Amino acid sequence: LTNVVILDATGHSVTISGQSGTNLSSQSRLFELEPGISLFVTNLKFANGQSTNGAAFLIRSNSFLFASDCVFSNNVVNGSNGLAGASARTSTVTGSASDGRSGTAAASAAGGAIFNFGHAWFSHCSFLTNGVIAGNGGSGGNGGNGTVSGGDGGHGGRGGAAMGGAI
């Protein structure tokens, strides 16, 4: 048995694609290379992958991707949004009201087409319209109502970082 896989579409028009359209309910990464795997791809198009990191390929440590004459297009990663902070009690309290809780930070996202922890080699490949969209920070919770003073709203969470539209 070997851990070497070769996908060669020379002379053919082959696209490996995830879901596409505007009503997507789940994300689908095209390939995840586990440690010890070597993948050679030639004359293939990898399109419409979706994930939180590495929409076309997630390359784990000690794995290898060798790509020649390939096209990577419209692969997009999305960081998840932070959670909203809890609001303080809404009924009016005598005296000063409580403050709302802060929202949580969003997740960062990286590697629109390729997220690489291992080894990657590209020859005559094109990277077209791949992207990274970081999540939004969670909203701060509302402050409570008080007869003397109302509570302050919580702080919004930080937005996530977006890194590496293609690789």
Side-chain angles (χ1 to χ4, degrees), residues 27 51-53 76-84 103-110 131-139 156-163:
Q27 297 185 350
S51 186
T52 54
N53 290 305
V76 178
V77 296
N78 292 290
S80 59
N81 293 328
L83 300 175
T104 63
S108 295
V132 178
I133 303 167
N136 295 316
S139 304
R158 290 183 174 212
M163 301 166 281

Side-chain angles (χ1 to χ4, degrees), residues 13 31 47 55-56 59-60 64 67-68 87 115 126 130-131 133 144 158:
S13 178
F31 287 91
I59 304 168
R60 299 273 182 204
F64 299 85
S68 178
S87 293
F115 194 57
S126 298
N130 299 290
I133 303 167
R158 290 183 174 212

Side-chain angles (χ1 to χ4, degrees), residues 95-125:
S96 298
S98 299
D99 295 338
R101 301 286 185 205
S102 295
T104 63
S108 295
I114 311 290
F115 194 57
N116 184 19
F117 290 109
H119 306 279
W121 176 84
F122 302 96
S123 176
H124 300 100
C125 293

Side-chain angles (χ1 to χ4, degrees), residues 35-114:
I37 298 295
S38 294
L39 177 61
F40 293 80
V41 293
T42 304
N43 291 306
L44 288 163
K45 182 177 181 180
F46 301 95
N48 302 318
Q50 295 184 2
S51 186
T52 54
N53 290 305
F57 284 90
L58 174 60
I59 304 168
R60 299 273 182 204
S61 62
N62 297 319
S63 61
F64 299 85
L65 173 64
F66 302 91
S68 178
D69 299 306
C70 292
V71 176
F72 298 85
S73 67
N74 200 38
N75 298 291
V76 178
V77 296
N78 292 290
S80 59
N81 293 328
L83 300 175
S87 293
R89 195 168 71 182
T90 58
S91 58
T92 301
V93 296
T94 303
S96 298
S98 299
D99 295 338
R101 301 286 185 205
S102 295
T104 63
S108 295
I114 311 290

